[in-house]
Amino acid sequence: RSPLVSRYASPEMGFNFSERKKFGTWRRLWLYLAQAEKSLGLPITDEQIKEMEANLDNIDFKMAAEEEKKLRHDVMAHVHTFAHCCPKAAAIIHLGATSCYVGDNTDLIVLRDGFNLLLPKLARVISRLADFAEKYADMPTLGFTHYQPAQLTTVGKRCCLWIQDLCMDLHNLQRARDDLRFRGVKGTTGTQASFLQLFEGDHSKVEELDRLVTAKAGFKRAFMVTGQTYSRKVDIEVLSVLASLGASVHKICTDIRLLANLKEIEEPFEKEQIGSSAMPYKRNPMRSERCCSLARHLMTLVLDPLQTASVQWFERTLDDSANRRVCLAEAFLTADIILSTLQNISEGLVVYPKVIERRIQQELPFMATENIIMAMVKAGGNRQDCHEKIRVLSQQAAAVVKQEGGDNDFIARVRADSYFSPIHKQLESLLDPSSFTGRAPQQVAKFLKEEVRPALVPYQSEMGGKIELAL
C-alpha cells in the first residue's frame, strides 16, 4: 500500500481513490445509462432497473479479479461480475457504451469529489491563518530581503503574504472544479455512432441521452466533442492547480522552518514529543518539514499529464492509463495530507515576542539612522556633517557586533556624542518599532475584511474544530 494512504491521507480522500468508490461508480454509471435509455424508449424493463439498483454495492472483488486475469480487460471483467448478480439485467448492462464511458466519467467524478474534499480544508487553513494574522497585526518584527535584515514589518503582515497565496489557490481550485465537464455518452471514438444506431438514427434522442446521463452524474455540462477519452489536457489543468498549491505550502512551511531556527515562531510541539534521538533539547519543525517534503512530490506530478497529453495519438492511445492511475490519485492524496498538516500547524503556532523584540533591537539602530539625520536637520544641524558622524559611529558599532560578538551599541554611542545633544530626548520615540512598520496593521485589517473573509463564506459550515495528526 502507498504510504500516502496507510500513513498520511484522510479516510475520506483515501476512499475517494479506492477500488470500492471506483467500481461502485462504474455500476452507478451503468444504471444511469440504462435508466436514460429506458426513458427514451429502448426495451429495458423496470425489473431490470430495480435489479441493478439493488446490486450497486454488491461487488464480488474476488470474482472480478479472476475475470480480469482471464479476460485481460478490467471493464469487461466488471461487466461480467455485475451481470452475474443481475441476471435479468445482464443483456442491457453497458448497452452501446465503450470502456471509457465508465472509466473516464468515473475519473471526472472522482476529480470533482476530490476538489470538494480539498476546498473546505484549504478554507480552514486560510481561516486559521487569518485569525493568527489578525491577532498579530500590530506586532513589529524584522523583515528580511535576500534573508538579510530589512525594514520592519509585522508578524500579521508576513502571515498575510502566506494567506494571499493560499487565497489564489482557493480560487484556482474552485475554478478547476467548476470547469470540469462530463465526458458523457460518446461511444468508441466520440462519434456516438453506436447510440445513433440504437435509436435508429434519431439524433435528438442521442443528444437527450447524453444530457440525461450528464445530469444524473451531477454535472451541468458535458464535452461537446471527445475522442474515445476526454482531452488529457483536463488532467494538466487539474494537476497544475494542485502543484501550485504545493508551491504555496512549501514556501509557507520553509518560512516557518526559518523562523523556528531564529526562535521567533514555532510550530506546535507535543508535551512528550521527541525532536531528536541523540539531542534531547531539540524541537525540530517536523510538521513543516513533512509539508515541504510532500509538496515537492506534488509539484513534480504535473509533469506526468503534460507528457501524457502530448502523446495521445488521434482518438486515444492506452499509454495514458497506468500513468494516470498513479499521478491523479497521488496528487489529490498528497494535497490532502499537506493541507491537514498545515491546518494542524496553523492552529498551534507559537510566537516568542521577547526574541522578536531582541532581534529588532539588534538591527533597529541602523535602520533609524535616516530618522536621526532628519531630526538633526530639523534641529538646525547640517545634513552632510550628520551623515558623516553617523557613518563613523555605525561602523564602530558594526565592528562590535561582527568582530567582538557584542550587542549593537550604536544608540549608546549617539547618546554619548555631544553633537547629537539636540535630539537626545527624541531618541526613544525615534526608535519606537511601531513607527517603522508603515501601514502594515492597516493593510492586514483591510485585506482580511475585504478579500479573505468574503472568500471563506461558502465554507463557513465546514470550518469545524481543530485537527489532530495521526502521526
Side-chain angles (χ1 to χ4, degrees):
R1 294 176 63 194
S2 166
L4 293 175
V5 176
S6 63
R7 183 175 176 89
Y8 297 125
S10 68
E12 296 80 10
M13 190 62 80
F15 174 74
N16 191 50
F17 287 92
S18 69
E19 299 278 272
R20 184 162 291 278
K21 168 72 176 279
K22 176 179 178 178
F23 298 126
T25 303
W26 283 12
R27 291 192 174 188
R28 282 162 176 80
L29 287 168
W30 282 320
L31 173 65
Y32 300 156
L33 180 62
Q35 289 173 329
E37 289 174 335
K38 177 180 182 298
S39 70
L40 292 169
L42 292 188
I44 296 172
T45 67
D46 289 337
E47 191 175 21
Q48 288 173 316
I49 296 295
K50 289 179 181 178
E51 189 179 52
M52 293 174 74
E53 289 175 336
N55 287 280
L56 291 176
D57 297 307
N58 179 26
I59 303 174
D60 187 337
F61 286 98
K62 183 178 180 181
M63 178 182 177
E66 291 171 352
E67 287 289 323
E68 184 172 356
K69 186 176 181 180
K70 179 174 62 177
L71 301 173
R72 295 294 177 181
H73 197 289
D74 57 351
V75 174
M76 286 308 299
H78 278 270
V79 168
H80 289 185
T81 303
F82 195 19
H84 180 73
C85 58
C86 298
K88 295 174 183 176
I92 55 91
I93 292 173
H94 199 66
L95 182 60
T98 186
S99 298
C100 286
Y101 166 70
V102 288
D104 271 33
N105 284 325
T106 292
D107 286 346
L108 290 161
I109 289 170
V110 168
L111 295 179
R112 178 197 64 194
D113 294 351
F115 277 128
N116 286 336
L117 290 171
L118 291 180
L119 282 163
K121 291 193 172 193
L122 178 52
R124 284 196 291 271
V125 170
I126 293 171
S127 175
R128 304 308 189 262
L129 290 174
D131 293 341
F132 180 86
E134 189 171 49
K135 181 177 180 179
Y136 294 101
D138 299 326
M139 180 180 285
T141 189
L142 186 64
F144 290 92
T145 57
H146 311 272
Y147 201 37
Q148 302 299 313
Q151 288 188 347
L152 300 191
T153 182
T154 69
V155 172
K157 170 63 189 302
R158 175 178 283 151
C159 183
C160 284
L161 299 179
W162 304 339
I163 295 170
Q164 182 167 250
D165 287 351
L166 293 176
C167 283
M168 293 172 66
D169 293 316
L170 186 72
H171 173 77
N172 288 336
L173 263 66
Q174 289 170 335
R175 174 187 54 76
R177 178 198 60 188
D178 295 343
D179 281 351
L180 286 174
R181 297 191 194 187
F182 203 51
R183 177 193 175 272
V185 184
K186 297 297 194 297
T188 54
T189 58
T191 65
Q192 298 177 305
S194 59
F195 297 104
L196 191 63
Q197 184 177 1
L198 280 174
F199 290 105
E200 299 179 348
D202 190 331
H203 289 267
S204 63
K205 284 191 174 182
V206 175
E207 289 184 2
E208 181 64 5
L209 178 70
D210 204 359
R211 190 196 67 78
L212 286 172
V213 174
T214 297
K216 287 176 180 291
F219 284 81
K220 294 180 180 178
R221 298 182 302 165
F223 287 105
M224 294 183 70
V225 295
T226 71
Q228 189 172 92
T229 68
Y230 68 78
S231 171
R232 295 311 185 215
K233 283 185 70 68
V234 173
D235 297 343
I236 297 174
E237 292 299 309
V238 169
L239 265 65
S240 289
V241 298
L242 296 181
S244 184
L245 170 64
S248 300
V249 174
H250 199 294
K251 185 265 192 289
I252 293 166
C253 290
T254 299
D255 283 356
I256 293 172
R257 292 164 66 189
L258 293 170
L259 289 167
N261 174 261
L262 297 174
K263 297 180 174 62
E264 292 188 6
I265 294 178
E266 288 182 342
E267 66 177 38
F269 198 87
E270 308 299 336
K271 184 178 180 181
E272 297 182 3
Q273 183 174 332
I274 294 174
S276 167
S277 61
M279 296 167 278
Y281 61 87
K282 293 194 76 179
R283 292 170 62 95
N284 298 333
M286 53 81 67
R287 292 169 172 84
S288 297
E289 290 173 315
R290 177 188 298 175
C291 283
C292 289
S293 180
L294 290 170
R296 285 200 299 274
H297 178 59
L298 179 56
M299 288 186 282
T300 64
L301 288 173
V302 71
L303 295 175
D304 278 348
L306 280 168
Q307 295 182 69
T308 295
S310 71
V311 296
Q312 287 302 287
W313 304 342
F314 303 117
E315 281 63 50
R316 81 87 45 101
T317 177
L318 197 60
D319 67 347
D320 63 335
S321 180
N323 185 284
R324 294 176 67 253
R325 288 175 192 264
V326 176
C327 70
L328 294 179
E330 287 201 353
F332 278 88
L333 290 165
T334 305
D336 178 72
I337 298 158
I338 63 177
L339 286 176
S340 294
T341 309
L342 187 56
Q343 181 184 335
N344 178 264
I345 292 169
S346 64
E347 289 172 345
L349 287 173
V350 181
V351 178
Y352 296 106
K354 294 296 183 182
V355 178
I356 293 173
E357 183 180 348
R358 186 176 186 277
R359 183 157 284 109
I360 289 174
Q361 294 307 319
Q362 285 288 313
E363 301 293 341
L364 190 61
F366 293 149
M367 297 178 192
T369 54
E370 186 175 6
N371 289 10
I372 293 172
I373 291 174
M374 294 301 101
M376 280 294 296
V377 171
K378 288 180 181 179
N382 179 284
R383 193 263 178 199
Q384 309 310 328
D385 293 341
C386 184
H387 183 280
E388 178 60 20
K389 281 275 188 181
I390 288 178
R391 186 187 69 82
V392 173
L393 295 181
S394 62
Q395 289 190 2
Q396 292 170 352
V400 171
V401 173
K402 295 179 179 179
Q403 297 174 19
E404 301 176 19
D407 291 334
N408 189 331
D409 63 359
F410 172 71
I411 297 301
R413 292 174 186 274
V414 172
R415 291 187 188 279
D417 193 321
S418 60
Y419 173 81
F420 294 99
S421 58
I423 64 164
H424 280 168
K425 293 182 179 179
Q426 300 178 46
L427 285 176
E428 187 172 343
S429 61
L430 292 173
L431 289 166
D432 179 6
S434 63
S435 68
F436 290 81
T437 59
R439 297 192 62 254
Q442 290 75 23
Q443 288 176 339
V444 171
K446 186 178 179 66
F447 174 60
L448 295 180
K449 179 181 179 182
E450 297 186 12
E451 290 196 25
V452 179
R453 303 295 187 192
L456 300 179
V457 169
Y459 306 99
Q460 289 300 325
S461 63
E462 301 174 272
M463 285 303 172
K466 288 189 174 183
I467 191 168
E468 300 294 333
L469 294 185
L471 288 171

